[in-house]
Amino acid sequence: MQKGQVFRDKDLDQCFRITYLPVRGVYTYIINLPDKPKNTFPTSVETQSILKRFEEGVLEVVEDSPYNLEPQTLSDKQKDRASELWLILEPYLINQPDIFIPSVRGEAFTAAHAAHGISKETFYLAVSRYFQKGQSELALAPDYNKRGILKKANNSTENDENPVATKVPPKKRGRPSKEHGEGRPSHLFHSQFDYALKHFHISEKQTIKSSYKRMIRAFFPGCNRREVPSYKQMLDYNNKDYQKMKLFRQRYGKIVVPRSDRPMFSSSVANAPYPGSVFEIDATIANVYVLSSYFDYDDPVTPHEIVIIGRPVIYHIVDVFSRMIVGLFIGVEGPSWAAASMAIRNLLEDKQLFCLKYGIDLNDLDNQKLEYLGTELFPLISGLSEKLRADHGEFRGDKPDGLIELIGQSIENHKVYCPDLKGTTEQSFDISQKKGQYTQLYTVEQSFKVRDQILGKGIDPRREACLTLREFIGLYLRIILKLNASVRVGYPRTKDMIKKGVPAIPVKLWQYGIENIGGVLRTPPIQQVQKALLPRKPCSTNRQGIHFFKDQYYFCSYAEKRGWFERGNYQKNITLAYDPYSMDQAYLVTPKDNKIEYIPCKLTPRCRDKYQGTTFKDAEFILRYEEEENIQISHDQNMNDTTETAINEKIAQTKSRLPEKGNTPATWKGMRDNRHQEAKREAQQEKVPEPECPEVSAQLPPEIPPELPPQAPPQLRDAPPIQAEPDQEPHETSERTRNEPVTPRETTKSPPLSTKTTAEKEAEAHDEQMRAIRREAKRRKLSERQSE
């Protein structure tokens, strides 16, 4: 008798499994295995009683039980569900035999429900299944194949109980069709209906009527109309066997259905009770192509060639309560954190100066013809909201950490493929791009409409690109001012708004909310916000500095004082905040007194010449260019390298001079003396020849003694005149002047010049040193012998 073994009681005609067999114990726990799936739990039975009944032959071992687990029959979905349940129930299931007690089981369910939210039905069903199927992880797999009931087709007839098995088609029920007569039963065409619905209706997105016609042409060519199924039969089959929502998801995909067909019971204003409570940010790509703003295309003398830079990216920040566009960024930077941070900076800018930069003076509306209602409020909106709502894109991950930690900005990310959750910004894009003045140009959407029409000659919007990026921003800014002063149809106004006559205009709604409901924007210092918006990058330190990217390093006194650049004290988890538009400086992000501090870091001197004044993209381009250049140079050198071939040829040539068995010990016996002689020969060969001197007469004129001063000693005053020594160089004697006194040092005889070269002197010094070493070795041996 073993744990997990299945027995059958002949008297009771019932099977049970042993779930717990104690080593030394009175009771054994078993669980009944009913014929139909049912929740059962282990119960205690005396061990001696089971052994006695087994010896008497009342109990027999069951090898093939329906409760035996067969892992190969389980689907991936069943295995995944078993793994999920195992992670939840494992701490409670291994607590045996206490888990067999009902009260302990109840406490386990309470704990599992509090920790994981598992329902009571799921818990007890999984525990029962675990012990019935042999106590393994896969025993928790649910029996999906046994769920539900068998569906009976509506094919009953008057004269046959099993019409599906009959060879002759049974008679259809109901009044015959006028088009198809009595026709044939629907169950005979289920396979054709399935094919038509899956391939024509779902995959090719055709209507059911069109799918039906294609099915008739494909499966029933040349048949009588009474032999083919009717359209109503296919429609009824579709309504009965295909769930409409499931069919809609299969046809249009899981992205379109939740966005356009999910229930909507509320509005976005319900989550934004006052102005400045929630701002939404999102990006889109403009429908026009623009030119670079750094060239003069209108120069009458030498106009610059057209430089198209593509379609700009537009960022909107919209107040949810009032529908007012309070922040804007337009540039060539793709939808990214860098572009989003520029839009957030615009929230804190002076909107009057911002508009003036693009040629719009809000104080002179008549001259600019901007007679929009309420534009005087636009410059006053400057600050951050309580909550910033974004999609699952630029604000995902650790990029907005600085904004959260340093500014205290709350960020809310919505799930992907649900733009309707940010309907305010999406609507602002739709209105601004479709009803804007610049759409008089040929936009991308217009080009798609006229493309492939009239002999296939469509208008390419790139051919009509004429606005520079700066001009486009100016035109788009006028559109934003107009939208902020236009009526928003469908805005859910309250009773108080209607009573006070507040129109659904963004600037009026903002003014009403500030005066009657409340709301104050936060205005932190712009420098603090700029630091908080900088992207961050994990870095490490080594002897060269703070390693930022490839061969780019920074350093600061903060890290140097703490010895981060010394071996053994390297830091692996530090964070640098950097400006993508300037690599000259970065910031070391460190916590200090429960706050975040930004410590400036400079480029190291070895990196300054290479990266000073560059952007992050410039640095990437430089590194990529150098890498490609080095690879190309290495490839060219490798292809043209003949060094290895020349070396191998020379070695093969010189090996011919060796004896047959190679060099012998007699050959290298005098190797040290040979080296000394070779050094002397090299020195003699490399000796620099002495310059040739002109011949000078050996007879020198007598030296005229100079007049001695009166204080000179008598031995010098009475001494005979000094004659030039024969060995003294003539040109030195001739250069003396008559008035130059002669000292005793000058009268000494000069030693002859050495003719030995430096190499010869070094060789002699080396020989002398070796002789001294040999003498010292002999002296030591002699002293050791005498001591012995």
Side-chain angles (χ1 to χ4, degrees), residues 656-717:
S656 60
R657 65 182 64 157
L658 292 176
E660 182 178 357
K661 295 183 180 181
N663 296 325
T664 59
T667 309
W668 61 72
K669 186 175 182 180
M671 189 163 48
R672 181 180 292 112
D673 295 337
N674 295 339
R675 184 172 66 250
H676 295 163
Q677 295 298 328
E678 184 70 15
K680 291 181 180 180
R681 285 190 289 270
E682 287 182 356
Q684 187 67 24
Q685 185 177 0
E686 296 177 1
K687 179 179 179 180
V688 179
E690 296 182 359
E692 297 181 359
C693 298
E695 295 183 358
V696 183
S697 174
Q699 184 67 27
L700 297 176
E703 183 71 21
I704 301 175
E707 296 181 359
L708 297 176
Q711 64 271 20
Q715 59 269 21
L716 293 179
R717 192 181 302 114

Side-chain angles (χ1 to χ4, degrees), residues 267-269 272 278-282 316-325 389 419-432 488 491 506:
S267 64
S268 57
V269 182
V278 180
F279 284 174
E280 289 183 354
I281 182 173
D282 201 3
H316 280 189
I317 300 181
V318 184
D319 176 56
V320 176
F321 176 83
S322 63
R323 303 291 197 270
M324 179 180 287
I325 301 175
R389 185 180 296 165
D420 54 316
L421 298 179
K422 304 190 314 315
T424 307
T425 50
E426 298 293 341
Q427 188 180 22
S428 68
F429 286 134
D430 182 68
I431 296 173
S432 62
R488 294 299 178 90
Y491 181 86

Side-chain angles (χ1 to χ4, degrees), residues 55-305:
E55 291 174 357
E56 293 176 354
V58 178
L59 301 180
E60 63 178 0
V61 179
V62 179
E63 297 293 341
D64 188 12
S65 173
Y67 287 89
N68 290 342
L69 186 65
E70 297 179 1
Q72 65 274 11
T73 61
L74 298 178
S75 63
D76 294 339
K77 186 177 180 180
Q78 290 175 297
K79 294 179 181 178
D80 294 342
R81 181 56 178 167
S83 300
E84 293 176 5
L85 292 174
W86 178 253
L87 293 176
I88 298 174
L89 303 178
E90 181 187 8
Y92 313 108
L93 296 177
I94 62 177
N95 186 19
Q96 299 180 14
D98 295 341
I99 192 63
F100 304 142
I101 304 173
S103 59
V104 176
R105 237 179 356 254
E107 294 174 359
F109 162 71
T110 304
H113 178 71
H116 305 282
I118 187 172
S119 65
K120 184 176 181 179
E121 181 181 2
T122 304
F123 177 86
Y124 282 101
L125 184 62
V127 171
S128 175
R129 191 166 56 242
Y130 175 79
F131 290 112
Q132 287 177 352
K133 294 189 176 183
Q135 304 184 43
S136 65
E137 180 180 346
L138 292 179
L140 295 172
D143 298 325
Y144 289 142
N145 56 334
K146 296 182 181 179
R147 293 185 178 181
I149 59 175
L150 295 176
K151 294 182 179 180
K152 297 182 180 180
N154 189 11
N155 298 321
S156 59
T157 60
E158 300 176 356
N159 53 5
D160 198 342
E161 294 181 359
N162 188 13
V164 179
T166 58
K167 297 182 180 180
V168 180
K171 182 180 179 181
K172 285 186 62 179
R173 299 171 57 185
R175 182 175 62 85
S177 171
K178 292 181 180 180
E179 181 181 358
H180 297 274
E182 293 184 356
R184 301 172 67 184
S186 299
H187 72 275
L188 300 177
F189 309 106
H190 284 182
S191 59
Q192 290 84 351
F193 291 160
D194 284 332
Y195 186 89
L197 290 172
K198 290 179 180 179
H199 290 78
F200 304 149
H201 182 57
I202 296 176
S203 299
E204 301 182 11
K205 296 181 175 55
Q206 297 186 8
T207 63
I208 298 181
K209 187 70 173 179
S210 301
S211 303
Y212 169 75
K213 292 180 179 180
R214 287 190 61 180
M215 180 195 69
I216 297 299
R217 293 195 301 268
F219 292 100
F220 306 98
C223 293
N224 191 345
R225 61 185 177 87
R226 298 182 182 276
E227 298 176 357
V228 300
S230 64
Y231 172 68
K232 187 177 182 301
Q233 284 180 295
M234 182 174 176
L235 196 61
D236 290 342
Y237 178 77
N238 174 66
N239 294 335
K240 289 180 180 179
D241 291 58
Y242 285 81
Q243 298 179 5
K244 291 187 177 180
M245 197 61 192
K246 183 178 180 181
L247 182 65
F248 195 75
R249 287 177 181 272
Q250 291 177 346
R251 188 176 185 188
Y252 296 104
K254 63 180 181 180
I255 298 177
V256 176
V257 174
R259 181 176 60 194
S260 58
D261 291 274
R262 67 178 182 85
M264 298 182 66
F265 304 108
S266 183
S267 64
S268 57
V269 182
N271 298 323
Y274 50 84
S277 58
V278 180
F279 284 174
E280 289 183 354
I281 182 173
D282 201 3
T284 189
I285 300 177
N287 288 338
V288 294
Y289 287 87
V290 296
L291 313 180
S292 174
S293 301
Y294 294 96
F295 304 101
D296 187 5
Y297 307 105
D298 299 329
D299 190 350
V301 181
T302 55
H304 197 277
E305 185 181 355

Side-chain angles (χ1 to χ4, degrees), residues 398-412:
D398 58 352
K399 295 178 181 178
D401 286 351
L403 200 62
I404 298 172
E405 298 170 355
L406 198 62
I407 308 298
Q409 180 68 51
S410 176
I411 305 294
E412 180 181 339

